[in-house]
Amino acid sequence: MKTKIYNVVLITIMAFLCGCDESFLEKYPTTSIAAGTFWTSESDVKMGLTGCYSKLKGDYLTWTRGTLDAAVDNGYSKGYYNANYILQTGTLDPDNCSIQNSLYSAAYAGISACNVFLMNFSKAALPVSAANVYEAEAKFLRAFYYFELVQRWGGVVIYREVPSNIDDLKIAKSTEEEVYNFIKEDLDFAVNNLPDVAYSSGHAVKASALALQARIALFRSKWDEVISSANAIISSGKYSLATDLRSCFIHQEGQLTCPEILFSIKYLSTSDGRQLETDYGSEVCFFRESGLVPTKDLIDDYEAGDLRLKKWYFNSPDMITFTREDGYEYAGCETMYTNYGLIKFAAIWDDQLYQSAMRSIITGHDFVLFRLSEIYLMYAEAMVEKGGGTTTDSNALKYANGIRARANVTALTSLSRDNIRKERRREMAFEGLRYFDVQRWRIGSTLTGKVIFGSNKIVWNDKFYQWPFSRSEMDINTKLVQNEDY
């Protein structure tokens, strides 16, 4: 599914963000095919659903979400994503929240796409079984987009359907609990109607929805729900840990058949494989431009001999040179201010690719949103918390030690809260989860004083547990109430 095709679909089907301000929903035009001149066949429905999936490629919903680890203590981001630094240095406010506003806009663009689809797809008169699957996919996506919002802002505006006019978009936000209840409605339908098959095609399956359920329950400390959703995925027998540390992330190293992936954002080895329409993507930003680099604080959290250290990172004393395990040297990186580089998402074993000009990188990596490793860690964490901070639960140990064995570190005989939090930090680094772990564990104050690089240190402010609505968004929707302390 190429980017140009996606754009055509979105222009003609979806409600878009206003051209003058990307932070607000635009009333979809009644003359578009979404109003009734489309939606006459299953092929139309499939194209409309493609539009819903394509919005996963919005800012900070896809591979760019990894840069949010540089809003806390895992990394430092520069260049395109240097705005994360305002969180690390305690200066985020409603006027400088460009990253936050971009994600807010992207999530609502996805919601708008799903609402248009759900309002219209039944016009094609599909068999009930097929219609239920299409509806379940759209509702899974809508639930995902809303969770992206509620975990960051708390209560947000709920749009259950496409507004009939521009004024209907300017409404007050719902409470956090109301948003979670709405998400639950969508996810319950998705779990009950998505196909119970192994994930492979880019379309959500039952395990995808269960994984989202588990992540939401984890974020809300609903431990029994975490365990229930995790058990449903694990007991299905359809997934297993990859035997290596790279195939889950790298197209050239077996990503297509990786048994660990529960849901991902699909890309092609074409211009779409750059992951953005312009000339950059994760390969360029994270590796070539050193746009996301790990902190020494993160590196020091790994145990001696941990294979993840050499499979996902490299040390660069001169701040510009990457030396591969076999001695192959590449000195074309931009400055790595922390003396460490990130290769978790880089096809470093493709010699031809890495001899090319910097901006010719087209790898087609899919970005993984849910994988079994996280499910294992969620189960283990839930058991630790149910145990008051420790557990010897046999399954929790089996899952955590399976992850550790793959990384070549010794097995544990019991799990503590500190064990599982460190393991989660190590295993899920740069997959866009660290900020939210800091948020839900309420450990932000422990970050203050940690070194980012050089003399630059983190300054945490507890108001960052929720993000501010941007000034421009509040100017447009005058019924929106700012979050506390902003």
Side-chain angles (χ1 to χ4, degrees), residues 109-182:
I111 290 164
S112 176
C114 293
N115 283 345
V116 170
F117 178 87
L118 290 167
M119 179 180 177
N120 289 281
F121 82 100
S122 60
K123 296 174 183 177
L126 301 171
V128 173
S129 58
N132 284 346
V133 172
Y134 289 126
E135 182 177 355
E137 289 187 68
K139 287 187 172 179
F140 162 77
L141 291 170
R142 187 168 65 177
F144 174 82
Y145 294 130
Y146 267 116
F147 181 55
E148 292 294 295
L149 294 168
V150 71
Q151 68 176 329
R152 293 164 168 88
W153 284 275
V156 293
V157 176
I158 294 176
Y159 298 106
R160 291 179 176 270
E161 55 189 25
V162 180
S164 59
N165 59 70
I166 195 73
D167 290 331
D168 288 345
L169 294 165
K170 302 176 182 180
I171 59 178
K173 64 183 181 182
S174 297
T175 66
E176 186 171 337
E177 192 63 28
E178 287 169 337
V179 179
Y180 278 118
N181 287 339
F182 184 52

Side-chain angles (χ1 to χ4, degrees), residues 236-252:
S236 74
K238 295 178 174 66
Y239 304 94
S240 60
L241 287 184
T243 57
D244 66 289
L245 289 163
R246 293 181 53 81
S247 62
C248 194
F249 310 106
I250 309 299
H251 177 76
Q252 295 94 323

